[in-house]
Amino acid sequence: MRSFEYVRATEVADAVRLVSAHPGGAYLAGGTTQVDLMKDGVLGPDLLVDITRLPLTGVERRDEVLRVGALTTMEELAADPTVIERLPLVREALLKGASAQLRNMATIGGNLLQRTRCRYFRDLDVPKCNKRLVESGCAAVEGAPRMHAVLGANERCIALHASDLAVPLVALDAVVCLLGAAGERQIPLTDFYFASSDSPDVENRLSHGELITAIEIPLLPVEAVSGYLKVRDRVSYEFALASAAVALVISGGVIRQARIGLGGVGSKPWRAWDAERELVGSPTATATFRRAAQVAVQGAWTLPGTAFKVELAQRCLVRELRTVSGVAA
């Protein structure tokens, strides 16, 4: 690991000023991903500003919106009574997203910024990685791509977005609140990420020095049903092969509202807008869900090693739609 300067910030404005003024500066919060990347040499900041003691923790309900401080841990958010009652899909994604040890360290803001698990990105001995070295190529396309993306991917990059939490949050139209040298701004999470097919080396709209201060999550209607299904190779501490976050409002056997996020298949947390439109106004039935699932994966870009994910994602989505709606097989 390279040497670096360490500073512990006590004021939010000071932290932003320090990192904004230092091109090689970075924030340190839970560190559950960042420290690993520094050990591997993928990241090499020469200034680390520790923000763990900033007043950016806590969960506050403001009418029908939940405002979550960026330094709130995954475990704290999963235990919040409003999340349990009104956002079960978020709670399930949090609990399935990491081990208990990690959930007690990892922050909500950091979780949304975690980097891809692509082994080629994390191995500096691999020369081809457009995410690390622009226009160098993509070793994953020529290698073992089983854990990679099929949506928002192309021959330039198939790196997978890793966050479980981001999947229900894009479905819920959550908003990230930022503070930078130019002031405050808010960005809908659906617009926050770039797909790898567009820009492998630039993953989100965060400017250097900008800090996520909070996440605002609209609550689901009281009558909504929701859930999160994660398909993975093992139950404990594993990333998704495919996942689906689903929320429906059903009346008289007809779907009135639908929200769908897909994970484990996209280079960014994937909002399945067209599948939602396919569901709204249709009866709750397996045939309806299968049509929506087919629409959800249209445009997938596959390799022999990733083609199975198209079918897996459809089955995952159909199963969760049936589960939350109570439709039998």
Side-chain angles (χ1 to χ4, degrees), residues 152-163:
N154 60 19
E155 68 281 355
R156 298 181 65 216
C157 183
I158 56 173
L160 186 72
H161 186 84
S163 171

Side-chain angles (χ1 to χ4, degrees), residues 30-139:
T32 53
T33 294
Q34 186 178 21
V35 173
D36 285 346
L37 292 172
M38 290 175 65
K39 289 178 179 176
D40 291 340
V42 178
L43 297 181
D46 50 25
L47 170 66
L48 267 187
V49 177
D50 185 336
I51 59 173
T52 54
R53 297 190 180 181
L54 298 182
L56 298 176
T57 59
V59 182
E60 178 185 2
R61 180 171 175 176
R62 299 178 178 179
D63 296 325
E64 291 300 292
V65 174
L66 207 63
R67 183 178 173 87
V68 182
L71 295 179
T72 305
T73 68
M74 296 173 68
E75 192 69 18
E76 289 169 340
L77 183 58
D80 182 81
T82 303
V83 172
I84 295 172
E85 180 185 1
R86 297 286 298 277
L87 298 170
L89 71 174
V90 172
R91 174 177 165 80
E92 291 172 20
L94 286 164
L95 296 180
K96 294 173 181 174
S99 65
Q101 294 93 331
L102 286 171
R103 292 198 303 270
N104 278 292
M105 284 296 296
T107 65
I108 299 304
N111 183 281
L112 298 181
L113 295 178
Q114 65 180 288
R115 307 297 299 274
T116 179
R117 303 299 299 183
C118 176
R119 70 172 71 173
Y120 304 99
F121 167 72
R122 291 173 175 249
D123 186 350
L124 295 186
D125 290 332
V126 175
K128 291 184 177 181
C129 177
N130 284 326
K131 195 172 282 296
R132 274 191 285 107
L133 302 168
V134 178
E135 303 305 331
S136 62
C138 178

Side-chain angles (χ1 to χ4, degrees), residues 225-245:
V225 291
S226 74
Y228 180 74
L229 176 62
K230 179 177 181 178
V231 179
R232 47 190 165 174
D233 285 330
R234 58 183 182 184
V235 173
S236 176
Y237 190 36
E238 181 59 283
F239 292 87
L241 285 168
S243 68

